[in-house]
Amino acid sequence: MSTEARHNGIPATLADGILENTGVPVAKCYQCGKCSAGCPLAADMDYPPSLILRMLQTGDAGLEEKVLRSYTIWVCLTCETCIARCPMEIEIPKMMDYLRQESLRRGTTNPRARDIIRFHRSFLDSIKFTGRLYEMGLVVDYKARSLHLLQDVHLAPKMYLKGHLHILPELIKGLPLMRRIFSKTSRRGGEAAG
Amino acid sequence: MKLGFYPGCSLEGSAREYAESVIAVAGEAGVDLEQVPDWNCCGATAAHNMNRNLSLALPARILAKAEAAGMKEIVVPCAACYNRLSVTRHELLENESLRREISATIEYDLRCDAEILNVLQMLDRHVMPAIGDKIRVPFARRVACYYGCLLVRPHKILKFDRLEDPQSMDAIIRKIGGDPLDWAFKTECCGAGLSVSATPLVGKLSGRILDDASIRGAEAVIVACPMCHSNLDMRRPHCDKAMKKHYTMPVLYITQAIGLALGIDPKTLGLHRHMVPVKFEKHPADAASARPAPPDAVKEV
Amino acid sequence: MSRIGVFICHCGENIGATVDCERVARACAGIPGVVHSVDYKYMCSDPGQNMIKDAIRDHNLTGVVVGACSPRMHEPTFRRACEEAGLNPFLCEMANIREHCSWVHEKSEVTTEKAIDLVRVIVEKVRRNKPLFPIKVPVTKTALVLGGGIAGIQAALDIANAGHKVIMVERSPSIGGHMSQLSETFPTLDCSQCILTPRMVEVARHPNITLHTYSEIESLDGFIGNFKVKIRKKARSVDEKLCTGCGLCTQKCPTKKIPSEFDAGLGMRSAIYVPFPQAVPNKPVIDRLHCTFFLKGKCRLCEKVCPTQAIRFDQEDTIVEADIGAVVLATGFDIKHADFFPEYGYGAYKDVIDGLQFERLASASGPTLGEIRRPSDGRKPETVVFIACAGSRDPAKGIEYCSKICCMYTAKHAMLYRHKVHGGKAYIFYMDIRAGGKMYEEFVRRAIEEDGVRYVRGRVSRVYEREGKLIVQGADTLLGAQPVEIEADMVVLATAAVANDGAEELAQKMHVSYDAYKFFAEAHPKLKPVETNTAGIFLAGACQAPKDIPESVAQASGAAAKVSALFSQDELTREPVIAVVNRCAPPLYSTCVGCFLCQAACPYQAIEKEEIRARDGNLIKTVAKVNPGLCQGCGTCVAVCRTKAIDLQGFSNEQVFAEVMALLNRSEANAGI
Amino acid sequence: MPEFEPRIVAFVCNWCTYAGADLTGTSRIKYSPNVEVIRFPCTGRIDFMLLLKAFAEGADGIIVSGCHPNDCHYTSGNFHARRRWILFRGLLDFMGIDVRRVQFSWVSAAEGAKWADVVNTTVEAVRKLGPYDNYRQIARSGGV
């Protein structure tokens, strides 16, 4: 990255930050739209992937804010269809990970994405406290966070009967290390899980 | 033969039948799957969405546990776990300073020398060669082999099969007497991690997959990923709703299909655990007209 | 004792503003052996040159150093001036005090010091220069034209019409190339074959042109004006002299289901075949890989029906050798086929075709007689999607460049389709429309405005088949990258133009360089667009880079002009910067010990073995010898020589070591006088 | 005390780097004057004894620069130079000459800015390494 692009050691634009932290060069995008054409969720996004790249290319603070407040970055499934077909091999999924984490850090998450974020938090909490995903606990925790108390209630008994749900969590032995891993990685930026 | 085995959380819970059928089929081939000791969750979508370092550290601990146990090949049946473990291994091998950083986090000096196998690779390498003569009930069904995203992408890292029209599962189906059809949604996304938090979207994405398979006359969809399974099976009502149709075809794990061909008891394979009942409408002889079915082929399993 | 003249140029302000030229001249006057040192405003002007000429005569100079611009700029100028004054031109050298000094440094003491250094170094070199004499080599006035497409045809005709002999070699059974496959040409929509076939016939009939079709180059040796080529004439299995081209054999041949190369796989041909009715020569070839006789040992139907007994099953490849003076490479290009695109079905869908296949569909001589019909079921497609940049501008697929011709031919395809299928819908997915060329932009506008072709700006992500339709998933980037899905009956990929298979091996055979994409490299991107780095070998057409017909023809004529200019001389003169192996008195004869490391290092096969024999004929020793005709003067041999027996004229060991020593030993001279 | 001004000799080929350095001039890109160029037809011509000679005569650093791989005017001279450089580097190291004093690079006729960059980085690098006199001392004393 060129020196003039930095200001007091902070990347001047979001695109610079992406390049510095993930190595993904936003400038490479020539707006062919192949990612948006193939994205299974493009129609459900507020800005399709190629448009996100275009907004970032401008370096315009207003547009960058729109990117960080977008629903797109949360509804992206990381299915990697975009990178599989991108002629410029721009790793959009990697960029999306960074944008999500930046959006969390700046507290600019999209209101429509609240459920998705709550789910992720519940998920990571479950791992943090038991080492593995405790599905029953995850669902209960997610419901408590999202207040979607009735969602999937019809499924639970059926799932239990079919042997899909454990009532009690399984705890792994290495839990102290797991806690250390969580605290070390949250110190190093990124979302403090839980 | 002994192989390392990382079941992952789903296979302990909502996808128990996958684990059961993997173990059963591997057992038939004399493959003993030994669990990675005290394994943890790989972090799945949540970790890499929320925290990059965590998304590397969690799989790294799993790799560390396997390495410490001397495992050289780790079978990872869940496509999502396979993807996370493979990507982590790749990133750490590519970037020495990152490898050191993550090693410090997990308090173990990782070498990343164990090979990670997805279920198709395990079947192809260790199971299919050993069960060639054990096919008792050819799985004479017209099926859609569904690979999903995570087995083949990112292709540069996983380097597994063909990117847009993979063939490895189709080849296995052919070997057990089935008829894999040519269809267009082999690697389209099912909605994966949004299953709980954005269910209507999952209904739409998975619905499109079921629709293409059913238009082409698939009797079943064959999968190799618990997330794909739960979205196509458990979320079937949402799919039906999104597509305004009713799809009845069952969704089977590849290992269940092999198990049936080997004559393993459906219960052992966990077929009863599916939300969409595993029933076939046509007699196998009608379904796979190109291939004469043996007379003892069962109508319903 | 040398008598050297030093001439420092101010180049107006260009040097004078930063370097104290007067001081440089004064300093140089103090160098031993320098008998004359002056500075002047413009050394390259007539008065400047006259100063040099006068000084040579007046001071009886044995060497001239001009401190001025780059030798790449004015060395020929000053050397000519010296020659006119009676001094061997190779005793004149330039010190580059402009590009390497005054233009790149600030005005300062240090800059002037450096200028003095640079001149001093060259003075030390010139002191050791020896008079050299240009080398003369004869010229064989026959050109080899490799490739019988439109570029090769044009080059061959131009050279032949200038009165020189031409040997044309074409790999396939007929000349005509890709142009013969095209339906109509942009931007005029005139019929491709109608304008091409008369040229093909002219090649065949031209008294100065010898045509070898179904032939390839075996090897090329030698150098400009004096190449030797070996041509492999592949066995046609038909006696060309006896065959009348009646066509009975091709009608009777029982093997008729071979995909026709000419119809891009959309039509069929027999095992004994003429690629297309207007082929030149109109003589069939037996495709031995498909012929029943060659596969199973029986059939011989063609032999039975041939009225002139021209079939020769036992014919073998023959090698033809020829002396030639120049080569025009016009081997053309290839395109990527639909199976190159996983996302568009790995070539599995019959109705996803490439541009060349569409040309055959649209051609009146094609498999559908010019009607646009789907290859799968012969139906007229109601909706056709054209995808531009299929593979081009796609680093992920390894093709970073723009294929240049696709924008135009895609517009033409869509236009032709709209003319031929009334009510049909034509969509073009594109990234940019590159229509630079005479009447090109107007042509594209016509497609959009008059012919109703719908342009969508975006790349297609995927094509898949569903209930007999091809579903095209694209996006409209001009509508905020909104997804677009089109149910098409046929998809035409404007696939990337790439170098021919085997281009790399051919380039190595011809000793020409090629770029990262295996296209042949021109000697200079701007000023030497038809030359290659190997003197006497020229480029024409798309073997250098993707080109359309007018450009290929223009370049072919350019190459022909270069060849004709070369052939206008009976002898060539070359710079004598070549390597020589030393000779000395017996019993040593030469310090060469005959290790022949130089031979292995030489890129031009210019090192030969020479046997030194006594009078009685007994071999004394074998030493290296440089063929002055082949040597290009790179000096690689000099650097590898263990005994310093081989040296490069003009850059001798003595000279370069003197330069290094002079450079690093600033004498009093620099101190300024 | 004035800053140490290293003396750098550049051995360049006529077709790529010399022309590239000409382009630096025509583009008026400024660079450090500590470098002086000696022109060769090709890097393949550069006898590495010349490098030793340059050190013996008091050079503090050396640049060897020619055409990019595959771009050699003489097809393969630069490959010979590269191969020789790999061997020579070992020899330099063995002789106790700091290999960082020799900069091997490719500068094409179109890379005027790169030439300035190569010169400036080399001058800076050698300036940091300080004056080089050891080899000259040995050479002068007749040791070499």
Side-chain angles (χ1 to χ4, degrees):
Chain A
M1 199 178 94
S2 59
T3 40
E4 51 277 330
R6 302 182 69 97
H7 186 68
N8 295 335
I10 299 162
T13 65
L14 198 47
D16 289 331
I18 292 169
L19 185 64
E20 198 168 304
N21 288 284
T22 66
V24 176
V26 168
K28 259 187 138 179
C29 175
Y30 57 13
Q31 289 293 306
C32 73
K34 203 173 182 182
C35 49
S36 301
C39 178
L41 286 171
D44 300 286
M45 292 172 167
D46 36 9
Y47 313 107
S50 60
L51 198 50
I52 293 273
L53 281 154
R54 181 71 203 130
M55 289 158 86
L56 293 171
Q57 282 177 340
T58 62
D60 178 90
L63 289 173
E64 287 181 349
E65 167 125 8
K66 280 189 178 171
V67 167
L68 292 178
R69 287 191 185 280
S70 71
Y71 182 52
T72 297
I73 59 176
W74 292 103
V75 82
C76 163
L77 279 160
T78 326
C79 73
E80 315 243 2
T81 305
C82 47
I83 170 68
R85 297 187 187 141
C86 174
M88 301 305 276
E89 301 180 278
I90 299 166
E91 295 180 83
I92 297 174
K94 230 179 189 180
M95 177 189 85
M96 290 290 186
D97 278 346
Y98 178 81
L99 290 174
R100 283 187 276 261
Q101 285 160 35
E102 196 59 19
S103 168
L104 284 172
R105 203 181 62 79
R106 298 193 193 178
T108 55
T109 53
N110 186 293
R112 279 166 70 204
R114 240 174 266 146
D115 286 349
I116 297 172
I117 297 167
R118 281 179 192 130
F119 180 77
H120 290 327
R121 289 210 171 112
S122 303
F123 191 103
L124 291 181
D125 273 1
S126 168
I127 308 173
K128 186 176 174 184
F129 294 116
T130 65
R132 294 185 190 168
L133 179 64
Y134 164 41
E135 284 168 328
M136 189 67 121
L138 164 67
V139 171
V140 171
D141 188 59
Y142 168 68
K143 282 170 191 270
R145 289 190 198 215
S146 63
L147 301 175
H148 293 315
L149 298 178
L150 295 179
Q151 187 190 333
D152 292 336
V153 280
H154 60 285
L155 267 177
K158 210 171 164 188
M159 283 180 75
Y160 178 67
L161 283 177
K162 292 196 177 253
H164 287 314
L165 285 181
H166 292 285
I167 295 294
L168 290 173
E170 204 175 338
L171 301 181
I172 69 167
K173 286 188 227 117
L175 274 181
L177 173 61
M178 290 296 284
R179 303 270 161 85
R180 287 201 293 280
I181 290 175
F182 271 81
S183 80
K184 281 186 213 170
T185 50
S186 65
R187 244 186 288 130
R188 228 164 281 139
E191 159 93 343
Chain B
M1 185 204 325
K2 256 189 184 176
L3 292 177
F5 180 48
Y6 175 74
C9 309
S10 312
L11 273 79
E12 293 279 291
S14 53
R16 272 171 71 177
E17 68 274 27
Y18 191 19
E20 288 160 354
S21 61
V22 166
I23 292 166
V25 166
E28 285 288 322
V31 175
D32 189 11
L33 296 174
E34 185 189 357
Q35 285 208 10
V36 174
D38 198 41
W39 56 266
N40 55 276
C41 172
C42 72
T45 315
H48 77 79
N49 271 2
M50 308 289 278
N51 180 335
R52 172 175 148 83
N53 279 320
L54 184 64
S55 76
L56 295 170
L58 291 175
R61 181 180 175 274
I62 301 163
L63 294 175
K65 284 281 169 191
E67 254 179 48
M71 293 171 176
K72 290 285 163 235
E73 285 173 286
I74 316 167
V75 177
V76 186
C78 169
C81 303
Y82 161 71
N83 192 287
R84 288 312 311 158
L85 289 177
S86 302
V87 168
T88 300
R89 179 172 179 268
H90 174 85
E91 295 221 349
L92 299 188
L93 282 175
E94 289 283 289
N95 184 340
E96 174 56 21
S97 70
L98 187 65
R99 192 195 63 80
R100 263 186 262 126
E101 186 186 332
I102 297 294
S103 286
T105 305
I106 61 165
E107 300 165 20
Y108 181 89
D109 192 25
L110 261 181
R111 295 187 304 273
C112 296
D113 56 1
E115 197 184 351
I116 298 161
L117 298 185
N118 62 42
V119 77
L120 299 174
Q121 286 168 322
M122 175 198 78
L123 290 172
D124 186 52
R125 197 181 291 181
H126 300 297
V127 175
M128 299 315 286
I131 58 162
D133 51 352
K134 293 190 183 170
I135 305 291
R136 287 179 39 215
V137 196
F139 186 71
R141 298 286 169 190
R142 235 176 117 64
V143 297
C145 292
Y146 175 61
Y147 297 72
C149 321
L150 299 164
L151 279 179
V152 287
R153 290 190 293 259
H155 199 252
K156 281 215 156 157
I157 294 177
L158 302 177
K159 297 185 182 78
F160 173 66
D161 210 332
R162 301 207 302 182
L163 175 58
E164 297 278 352
D165 180 21
Q167 291 294 334
S168 47
M169 202 192 302
D170 298 58
I172 292 172
I173 286 292
R174 264 185 221 106
K175 279 188 191 151
I176 58 169
D179 180 14
L181 53 84
D182 219 358
W183 67 309
F185 281 69
K186 277 183 173 180
T187 60
E188 290 294 292
C189 182
C190 67
L194 294 183
S195 185
V196 178
S197 51
T199 322
L201 289 180
V202 170
K204 188 177 90 179
L205 298 180
S206 292
R208 290 204 302 224
I209 293 162
L210 290 171
D211 194 53
D212 194 65
S214 85
I215 283 176
R216 292 167 204 261
E219 291 179 85
V221 178
I222 309 293
V223 299
C225 167
M227 291 215 281
C228 301
H229 190 276
S230 83
N231 284 340
L232 296 175
D233 180 70
M234 197 173 80
R235 295 297 177 195
R236 184 63 62 89
H238 290 90
C239 301
D240 289 353
K241 193 172 159 198
M243 302 305 290
K244 300 191 179 68
K245 282 192 194 173
H246 181 57
Y247 305 100
T248 54
M249 76 196 117
V251 184
L252 273 77
Y253 287 105
I254 177 72
T255 40
Q256 291 176 319
I258 299 172
L260 289 175
L262 291 172
I264 300 174
D265 173 29
K267 195 133 192 171
T268 312
L269 298 170
L271 287 182
H272 59 290
R273 298 191 197 277
H274 291 191
M275 296 288 170
V276 178
V278 183
K279 268 191 256 170
F280 295 106
E281 281 161 16
K282 291 181 208 154
H283 188 277
D286 307 330
S289 49
R291 230 178 302 273
D296 61 333
V298 284
K299 188 170 182 184
E300 193 177 304
V301 288
Chain C
M1 185 63 191
S2 43
R3 300 178 58 79
I4 293 167
V6 174
F7 303 86
I8 306 299
C9 178
H10 293 240
C11 196
E13 290 284 286
N14 283 312
I15 299 171
T18 24
V19 171
D20 182 348
C21 296
E22 223 177 292
R23 210 192 108 197
V24 176
R26 256 189 287 127
C28 292
I31 303 171
V34 172
V35 295
H36 182 70
S37 182
V38 291
D39 59 291
Y40 183 66
K41 207 91 183 145
Y42 287 107
M43 225 62 227
C44 61
S45 65
D46 272 349
Q49 291 189 45
N50 286 334
M51 283 173 73
I52 298 175
K53 289 181 195 171
D54 292 342
I56 291 171
R57 293 187 199 104
D58 298 347
H59 298 278
N60 207 8
L61 299 182
T62 59
V64 166
V65 174
V66 186
C69 52
S70 170
R72 298 172 61 86
M73 181 95 188
H74 270 313
E75 196 178 69
T77 313
F78 293 117
R79 284 191 169 170
R80 204 181 317 115
C82 290
E83 194 173 18
E84 282 164 16
L87 185 73
N88 183 291
F90 295 94
L91 298 175
C92 166
E93 300 257 5
M94 292 184 73
N96 186 347
I97 59 169
R98 192 178 74 175
E99 282 86 345
H100 290 190
C101 190
S102 72
W103 274 352
V104 288
H105 308 312
E106 306 294 341
K107 179 186 169 95
S108 74
E109 191 75 355
V110 180
T111 306
T112 300
E113 288 269 319
K114 176 169 171 179
I116 296 170
D117 280 341
L118 291 172
V119 178
R120 211 161 35 78
V121 164
I122 299 299
V123 168
E124 289 311 313
K125 183 181 185 202
V126 166
R127 194 196 300 285
R128 291 162 180 83
N129 276 17
K130 297 204 167 56
L132 299 174
F133 300 93
I135 299 165
K136 287 198 188 302
V137 284
V139 178
T140 308
K141 297 184 182 181
T142 302
L144 172 71
V145 174
L146 209 47
I150 183 59
I153 289 172
Q154 181 73 29
L157 288 175
D158 282 1
I159 298 167
N161 287 335
H164 307 297
K165 296 282 179 202
V166 174
I167 298 172
M168 178 184 268
V169 176
E170 164 60 43
R171 176 156 75 164
S172 61
S174 168
I175 60 170
H178 284 309
M179 187 175 168
S180 64
Q181 294 175 282
L182 306 185
S183 53
E184 277 143 26
T185 55
F186 60 78
T188 46
L189 291 189
D190 41 2
C191 155
S192 183
Q193 285 208 340
C194 310
I195 56 179
L196 176 68
T197 44
R199 297 286 180 99
M200 291 163 60
V201 173
E202 206 182 330
V203 167
R205 292 204 182 136
H206 206 293
N208 280 346
I209 301 180
T210 312
L211 182 58
H212 296 289
T213 53
Y214 209 49
S215 302
E216 285 176 29
I217 294 298
E218 194 73 5
S219 66
L220 180 84
D221 294 307
F223 54 96
I224 180 168
N226 298 275
F227 294 106
K228 271 194 192 318
V229 66
K230 281 187 188 160
I231 301 161
R232 173 178 293 271
K233 279 182 82 82
K234 292 180 279 184
R236 253 188 136 87
S237 314
V238 170
D239 186 324
E240 277 185 87
K241 291 199 185 76
L242 294 178
C243 172
T244 59
C246 70
L248 230 92
C249 52
T250 59
Q251 286 166 26
K252 298 291 178 193
C253 177
T255 312
K256 286 207 161 57
K257 294 271 180 190
I258 306 163
S260 153
E261 293 83 0
F262 182 75
D263 281 333
L266 294 181
M268 298 295 172
R269 63 162 171 86
S270 43
I272 183 165
Y273 72 107
V274 176
F276 54 104
Q278 301 86 342
V280 169
N282 187 19
K283 312 270 162 110
V285 174
I286 294 182
D287 170 2
R288 294 187 174 185
L289 294 175
H290 290 98
C291 168
T292 317
F293 175 71
F294 281 100
L295 291 175
K296 293 182 184 151
K298 50 189 170 195
C299 180
R300 292 183 169 248
L301 212 59
C302 49
E303 192 179 39
K304 279 176 210 126
V305 300
C306 178
T308 59
Q309 281 84 48
I311 305 293
R312 294 283 177 275
F313 289 115
D314 56 355
Q315 204 175 59
E316 285 175 4
D317 290 6
T318 48
I319 303 286
V320 178
E321 288 186 39
D323 288 328
I324 49 166
V327 181
V328 177
L329 285 176
T331 51
F333 71 108
D334 200 355
I335 57 162
K336 281 287 179 197
H337 302 288
D339 57 3
F340 184 63
F341 302 89
E343 68 273 43
Y344 305 150
Y346 288 104
Y349 307 131
K350 278 190 175 162
D351 298 327
V352 177
I353 61 173
D354 60 50
L356 214 46
Q357 291 177 311
F358 189 88
E359 293 287 348
R360 294 313 299 148
L361 286 183
S363 168
S365 71
T368 56
L369 302 176
E371 289 192 19
I372 307 296
R373 294 186 177 280
R374 313 211 306 176
S376 63
D377 55 10
R379 275 201 304 117
K380 278 195 181 177
E382 284 161 24
T383 304
V384 179
V385 168
F386 297 88
I387 302 177
C389 289
S392 309
R393 303 172 68 195
D394 193 334
K397 292 202 188 323
I399 302 169
E400 290 184 43
Y401 55 85
C402 162
S403 289
K404 201 172 184 183
I405 53 178
C406 331
C407 283
M408 292 309 295
Y409 80 63
T410 299
K412 177 192 76 180
H413 286 173
M415 204 186 248
L416 290 177
Y417 166 71
R418 291 276 296 161
H419 292 173
K420 284 167 188 263
V421 179
H422 296 290
K425 287 195 210 95
Y427 294 89
I428 296 180
F429 282 90
Y430 73 103
M431 292 209 292
D432 297 288
I433 303 175
R434 296 183 171 175
K438 207 167 172 174
M439 295 301 288
Y440 285 12
E441 175 64 14
E442 295 90 322
F443 182 79
V444 173
R445 292 313 310 170
R446 214 170 89 207
I448 298 169
E449 293 164 21
E450 289 171 29
D451 294 304
V453 176
R454 298 175 194 184
Y455 273 75
V456 183
R457 197 203 167 279
R459 251 184 207 261
V460 169
S461 172
R462 184 160 96 110
V463 175
Y464 64 94
E465 191 247 308
R466 183 181 165 114
E467 295 174 312
K469 291 274 185 188
L470 290 163
I471 313 297
V472 179
Q473 287 184 335
D476 191 332
T477 56
L478 300 181
L479 288 176
Q482 177 179 305
V484 176
E485 199 165 284
I486 294 170
E487 279 190 14
D489 299 299
M490 191 160 92
V491 172
V492 183
L493 307 178
T495 59
V498 294
N500 262 321
D501 245 10
E504 200 175 3
E505 294 83 68
L506 182 66
Q508 284 161 358
K509 257 182 211 169
M510 311 302 281
H511 313 291
V512 301
S513 43
Y514 47 92
D515 63 23
Y517 307 106
K518 318 273 193 290
F519 285 115
F520 301 148
E522 63 281 5
H524 187 282
K526 294 185 185 69
L527 300 178
K528 290 183 173 179
V530 302
E531 290 95 328
T532 64
N533 273 338
T534 303
I537 302 186
F538 304 95
L539 300 176
C543 61
Q544 181 216 8
K547 283 193 187 71
D548 61 13
I549 297 168
E551 271 188 287
S552 297
V553 170
Q555 197 191 13
S557 287
K562 290 280 173 190
V563 172
S564 300
L566 177 64
F567 288 176
S568 69
Q569 302 155 272
D570 294 320
E571 279 184 327
L572 297 174
T573 49
R574 287 196 35 222
E575 270 220 2
V577 176
I578 55 165
V580 283
V581 179
N582 67 18
R583 278 289 189 273
C584 51
L588 203 55
Y589 296 97
S590 167
T591 57
C592 174
V593 293
C595 70
F596 291 102
L597 277 179
C598 49
Q599 199 173 41
C602 177
Y604 300 99
Q605 293 84 46
I607 311 264
E608 296 163 0
K609 289 187 178 172
E610 187 183 25
E611 293 174 342
I612 298 177
R613 288 179 186 279
R615 266 183 213 154
D616 59 7
N618 283 339
L619 182 65
I620 297 169
K621 73 193 280 192
T622 307
V623 297
K625 185 184 173 213
V626 178
N627 180 332
L630 294 177
C631 177
Q632 300 289 315
C634 67
T636 304
C637 52
V638 182
V640 300
C641 182
R642 300 162 168 185
T643 56
K644 301 282 161 254
I646 199 161
D647 211 346
L648 185 64
Q649 296 190 146
F651 293 91
S652 68
N653 281 322
E654 194 193 349
Q655 287 173 308
V656 295
F657 275 94
E659 284 183 74
V660 171
M661 290 173 68
L663 179 60
L664 292 158
N665 292 289
R666 279 187 180 160
S667 60
E668 299 304 309
N670 284 44
I673 298 161
Chain D
M1 184 181 155
E3 208 178 3
F4 158 61
E5 288 300 336
R7 298 212 67 192
I8 314 271
V9 186
F11 297 100
V12 307
C13 83
N14 180 46
W15 304 97
C16 290
T17 305
Y18 195 91
D22 278 0
L23 179 64
T24 321
T26 33
S27 321
R28 309 294 201 280
I29 302 168
K30 298 279 184 272
Y31 59 82
S32 163
N34 305 42
V35 167
E36 282 160 45
V37 162
I38 296 185
R39 179 166 71 125
F40 288 82
C42 177
T43 43
R45 165 70 185 87
I46 299 167
D47 185 338
F48 280 100
M49 290 309 289
L50 277 164
L51 273 64
L52 288 182
K53 188 70 187 169
F55 281 130
E57 297 295 323
D60 299 304
I62 292 171
I63 296 172
V64 177
S65 181
C67 308
H68 285 266
N70 285 327
D71 284 352
C72 178
H73 180 79
Y74 303 104
T75 323
S76 59
N78 53 355
F79 287 125
H80 284 281
R82 182 167 66 177
R83 237 170 288 160
R84 222 175 297 138
W85 163 233
I86 291 165
L87 294 175
F88 183 71
R89 190 166 47 185
L91 177 68
L92 279 187
D93 202 31
F94 174 74
M95 292 173 72
I97 300 175
D98 193 331
V99 290
R100 288 175 296 175
R101 291 186 183 274
V102 184
Q103 171 68 40
F104 200 92
S105 68
W106 318 117
V107 174
S108 80
E111 295 175 322
K114 185 176 173 190
W115 172 247
D117 202 42
V118 166
V119 168
N120 288 335
T121 13
T122 311
V123 169
E124 276 324 300
V126 174
R127 202 194 301 278
K128 280 207 189 81
L129 291 171
Y132 189 60
D133 209 32
N134 296 354
Y135 192 74
R136 179 156 58 163
Q137 299 286 346
I138 301 167
R140 285 281 151 88
S141 70
V144 174

